[in-house]
Structures are given as C-alpha cells and as structure tokens.
Amino acid sequence: MAQAAALVSAVATAVVLAGSPASAAGGFWATGCQDGRACIYLSHLRVGGMWWNVDGCGDHPIQDYYRSATAHGNPFNVVYVNGTWDRVNPWTTRPLDPNNLVTQVIVLC
C-alpha cells in the first residue's frame, strides 16, 4: 500500500511539472516573456521553458512557485497562498518569494 501511494505521488508530481501550473488557465510556457504579456518565472527547473506567459486581463489561477515576474505591458499582482501579494509595474521585472506558493496572477487593465 505504501509503495502504491509513493508511486501515485511521484506520477502526480511529474504531471504538474510537465504541464501548465496546476489550475492555471489562459497562458502558455515559453523560454522568455513575450511582448504585451504578464510573465512569471518558475523557481524550479522545467524543460521547454520556464516563463509562464499570461493571456489577457483579470484573474488567472496559478498553483506553483516562482522566483521573478516581468510586466511587458499592463501592471499585475502576484498573490500568494498566505494572502500577501507583489505588484509588478508596467515594463519592469521584480523578484518574487520563491518559497511562497503563488495562487493567482491578477492582470490590471
């Protein structure tokens, strides 16, 4: 039973790291932040691109750990699981808390 639980946990972790951030919608992975996008950079290694490029304005659910953010256009807020948040001003890059789970990105338009 313990072996089965360990296997399920390992598979779930691999799926999360291979795809989009858990519960993420409206974006795509890339090797950089594209023009006009709100972007967040993963804290851990991911093959095929470490930048999550957010599509459009409004609330975007996210469930992962990130170390920096870039606003190539509109400002946005990065909200953490503990209720704190970081503002990313237009045309800037700033560090994020890599040990605090990001729960949403709110692009302000």
Side-chain angles (χ1 to χ4, degrees):
M1 191 70 158
Q3 288 177 335
L7 178 60
V8 167
S9 177
V11 169
T13 299
V15 168
V16 167
L17 294 178
S20 63
S23 301
F28 57 92
W29 289 111
T31 56
C33 185
Q34 296 185 1
D35 289 343
R37 304 270 178 195
C39 304
I40 49 180
Y41 188 81
L42 273 175
S43 291
H44 53 276
L45 180 63
R46 182 186 184 283
V47 176
M50 302 275 291
W51 287 95
W52 183 251
N53 283 250
V54 177
D55 283 334
C57 302
D59 184 19
H60 300 271
I62 304 284
Q63 292 288 320
D64 217 331
Y65 296 88
Y66 294 86
R67 72 171 112 167
S68 68
T70 297
H72 277 182
N74 294 331
F76 64 96
N77 294 330
V78 176
V79 182
Y80 300 101
V81 70
N82 65 358
T84 61
W85 54 275
D86 284 318
R87 166 69 56 93
V88 185
N89 291 315
W91 308 108
T92 65
T93 297
R94 64 160 296 142
L96 300 176
D97 181 352
N99 300 310
N100 203 349
L101 180 69
V102 174
T103 58
Q104 63 183 345
V105 169
I106 304 169
V107 181
L108 307 170
C109 296

